[in-house]
Amino acid sequence: MSIAELASQVKSGQRKAADLVDESLKALENKKEYDFFISDVADRARSRAAEVDMQPFGRLAGVPFIAKDNFLTFGGKTTAASNILRPFDAPYQATAIERLEAEGAICVAKANLDAFAHGSSTENSDWFTTKNPHDKSRVPGGSSGGSAAAVALGVVPFALGTDTGGSIRLPASFCGVVGYKPTYGLVSRSGVIAMASSTDVVGPLAKSVEDAALVLEVMSGRDELDSTTIDRDEAPYINLENEIKGKKIGVVQEYMSKGLEPDVKKIIDESIEKFRQAGAAIEESSMPSLPLALAVYYIVCPAEVSSNLSRYDGQRYGFSATEAKDLDESYELSREQGFGAEAKRRIMIGTHVLSSGYYDAYYKKAQIVRTKIINEFERAFEKYDFLVGPVTPNVAFKIGERSSDPLQMYLSDIMTVAANMSGNPAISVPAGTSDGLPVGLQIIGPMRGDRGLLGAARAFEGLNR
Ligand code: GLN
């Protein structure tokens, strides 16, 4: 059943929000072995359900969801899966959460993630590693792994994630759900724990494109609390025409070449063939700077991370080392004990590339190449309606397989980061399976082309049925 149908059943009194919330809370317990959530928000969820049932309201009336634990929410702690925020109570809620609640949606739990969203597997969580719903010995992808697993396990109809370098699309691909990264600025980042502010976006994970589109419909648009937000489309993101005939689709050559697992390549090739048969014009598209995107990302992102993490000094938020003798030692010990290895690694890389002696050599150069990537996307979209390719070169990898080698882990993001550097909207749609493990198709759209992109993704769902 779609989210819209569920909400209309609640509104007509056929179903009770209280029952939907109870079912989700029960499912949380039953599927606990997958370690996909950090905490539930049971008390608040139940009292909100009672409110909704008194006088059902909104386009998401009574619909339960799970939020990645880097969204500020009431009713429980907000930790970003980092020890340094373990005791943190949010003083306000994220705009995305407020907008969902205003339409009757109910947050039931906070999903696991890589601490501060740094990662591609949830193995950087200070709590536990989430298990892939399709194979418990494998990762769910990251950093929104808990959110993707929750949807794949059927615990909630949708979940919220954030995508700074691929963290919605990658877990969506690994878990076999839809993951949507909107155009940069389309959804407010207010109340979302910052990772890299120039690429962070909020987006939905859901079972279908239409469900994801409805969640976007509710969350999107300008917010005075986030000056980087943009106007949403006047026309709705839902009920889109999904005509693919006559559309021009570019197949990203840089993503289709070496390093791609044969099964992944086969599934992507078959998906492209389906577009062709539906009447799309398919061409090979090449963007020469694309192979540099990963290197650029891993300079720009840590630079912004090092700045954003400087606020966690043991004085203002969350954890504070108690044995410190003076203020300086308190800063030092709180950060030393509160941050995990990956946060520290990024702080060191980030401060290094921003330091006066290395700024020109790394950060400045990276920003120049970033501009080239933006220009190449712009040029590509003068020619094509959409770009397609894989989300990642492989299916979900084994837990532990990459965690000791950061470079290996960073390579998981090789096909997702470019759209973050440029801000373009992109989606992962389930395209097939390889030995039972899901593979997602990535479709990228032009800036602010969210409506068209969602329409194409819906069309693909139909073709792939
Ligand atoms: N895996 C990428 C990283 O570790 C992206 C993370 C994200 O999108 N939050 O930086």
Side-chain angles (χ1 to χ4, degrees):
M1 191 186 305
S2 73
I3 292 177
E5 283 163 351
L6 202 57
S8 83
Q9 288 196 346
V10 171
K11 274 201 277 197
S12 68
Q14 255 171 291
R15 314 241 358 220
K16 291 265 168 236
D19 294 338
L20 297 181
V21 164
D22 275 341
E23 279 167 30
S24 275
L25 291 172
K26 217 174 284 163
L28 281 177
E29 282 312 307
N30 290 341
K31 310 275 182 186
K32 213 174 173 153
E33 65 205 285
Y34 288 92
D35 285 328
F36 63 97
F37 68 101
I38 287 181
S39 59
D40 65 38
V41 199
D43 290 346
R44 187 161 188 277
R46 289 206 181 92
S47 73
R48 289 212 64 239
E51 250 169 67
V52 172
D53 281 332
M54 216 129 64
Q55 200 164 31
F57 64 92
R59 288 174 287 180
L60 299 172
V63 177
F65 70 96
I66 187 165
K68 190 175 180 178
D69 205 17
N70 57 353
F71 284 81
L72 269 55
T73 57
F74 294 149
K77 305 286 179 212
T78 296
T79 70
S82 170
N83 282 331
I84 209 163
L85 281 176
R86 213 174 258 268
F88 179 62
D89 280 312
Y92 60 94
Q93 295 205 110
T95 296
I97 302 284
E98 291 283 319
R99 289 188 179 178
L100 292 170
E101 289 195 345
E103 292 290 340
I106 300 173
C107 181
V108 293
K110 304 298 290 291
N112 192 32
L113 64 149
D114 292 288
F116 287 109
H118 305 163
S120 310
S121 66
T122 75
E123 290 167 289
N124 292 334
S125 166
D126 285 342
W127 269 248
F128 30 61
T129 299
T130 300
K131 320 287 179 289
N132 189 305
H134 301 268
D135 176 350
K136 275 191 215 158
S137 69
R138 291 173 190 270
V139 302
S143 61
S144 313
S147 304
V151 174
L153 290 166
V155 174
V156 280
F158 77 92
L160 291 190
T162 54
D163 193 315
T164 302
S167 279
I168 289 175
R169 289 161 288 157
L170 179 64
S173 179
F174 279 4
C175 292
V177 301
V178 171
Y180 189 62
K181 175 192 111 60
T183 297
Y184 179 78
L186 188 58
V187 180
S188 170
R189 292 177 293 115
S190 172
V192 179
I193 293 173
M195 181 179 165
S197 308
S198 77
T199 75
D200 287 346
V201 291
V202 167
L205 295 106
K207 285 267 194 223
S208 71
V209 175
E210 184 66 13
D211 281 354
L214 176 57
V215 176
L216 179 72
E217 177 70 20
V218 167
M219 295 192 300
S220 55
R222 252 188 219 283
D223 175 16
E224 61 178 20
L225 300 175
D226 176 358
S227 61
T228 62
T229 47
I230 57 173
D231 285 325
R232 49 154 298 148
D233 287 86
E234 271 173 36
Y237 296 108
I238 49 174
N239 302 322
L240 297 169
E241 58 117 354
N242 44 21
E243 189 54 71
I244 214 65
K245 203 168 163 203
K247 294 278 191 281
K248 285 188 111 179
I249 296 179
V251 180
V252 184
Q253 285 319 290
E254 288 77 8
Y255 294 167
M256 294 301 284
S257 46
K258 55 178 189 297
L260 212 50
E261 266 178 20
D263 261 14
V264 173
K265 179 161 186 344
K266 186 164 154 270
I267 290 167
I268 302 304
D269 282 338
E270 286 165 1
S271 304
I272 293 164
E273 193 47 38
K274 285 174 188 155
F275 275 127
R276 192 196 309 277
Q277 275 164 17
I282 310 286
E283 268 178 39
E284 293 187 350
S285 155
S286 177
M287 292 169 50
S289 300
L290 229 41
L292 300 172
L294 193 71
V296 170
Y297 174 81
Y298 276 101
I299 292 170
V300 172
C301 166
E304 294 186 28
V305 162
S306 70
S307 162
N308 275 325
L309 292 185
S310 64
R311 76 192 64 173
Y312 305 104
D313 56 6
Q315 319 307 310
R316 285 172 286 190
Y317 311 96
F319 170 77
S320 187
T322 46
E323 67 274 34
K325 287 188 290 296
D326 54 31
L327 185 61
D328 277 341
E329 199 176 82
S330 174
Y331 291 149
E332 236 169 76
L333 291 180
S334 300
R335 285 169 73 81
E336 183 188 320
Q337 294 166 17
F339 283 134
E342 187 60 28
K344 288 174 185 162
R345 185 175 298 122
R346 294 191 191 212
I347 291 169
M348 285 192 288
I349 296 173
T351 45
H352 179 75
V353 300
L354 290 173
S355 62
S356 62
Y358 293 94
Y359 180 91
D360 284 354
Y362 293 108
Y363 186 75
K364 197 170 160 200
K365 241 188 221 161
Q367 291 292 17
I368 291 169
V369 182
R370 181 180 189 173
T371 304
K372 280 175 87 92
I373 294 169
I374 294 170
N375 292 342
E376 287 175 19
F377 267 117
E378 265 175 23
R379 238 168 290 138
F381 285 113
E382 283 166 10
K383 236 170 130 187
Y384 305 109
D385 295 297
F386 311 107
L387 295 172
V388 297
V391 174
T392 180
N394 43 266
V395 293
F397 47 88
K398 292 265 186 196
I399 292 173
E401 197 181 306
R402 298 188 179 187
S403 48
S404 57
D405 182 352
L407 272 181
Q408 209 30 42
M409 188 68 87
Y410 295 169
L411 281 170
S412 313
D413 311 322
I414 194 156
M415 293 159 181
T416 49
V417 291
N420 296 86
M421 296 321 312
S422 63
N424 287 68
I427 190 168
S428 174
V429 197
T433 55
S434 159
D435 286 334
L437 296 171
V439 172
L441 172 74
Q442 180 169 215
I443 317 176
I444 307 173
M447 287 300 279
R448 300 179 185 232
D450 297 82
R451 291 189 75 240
L453 177 57
L454 287 163
R458 270 198 80 183
F460 176 71
E461 262 178 346
L463 299 172
N464 206 34
R465 236 168 239 142

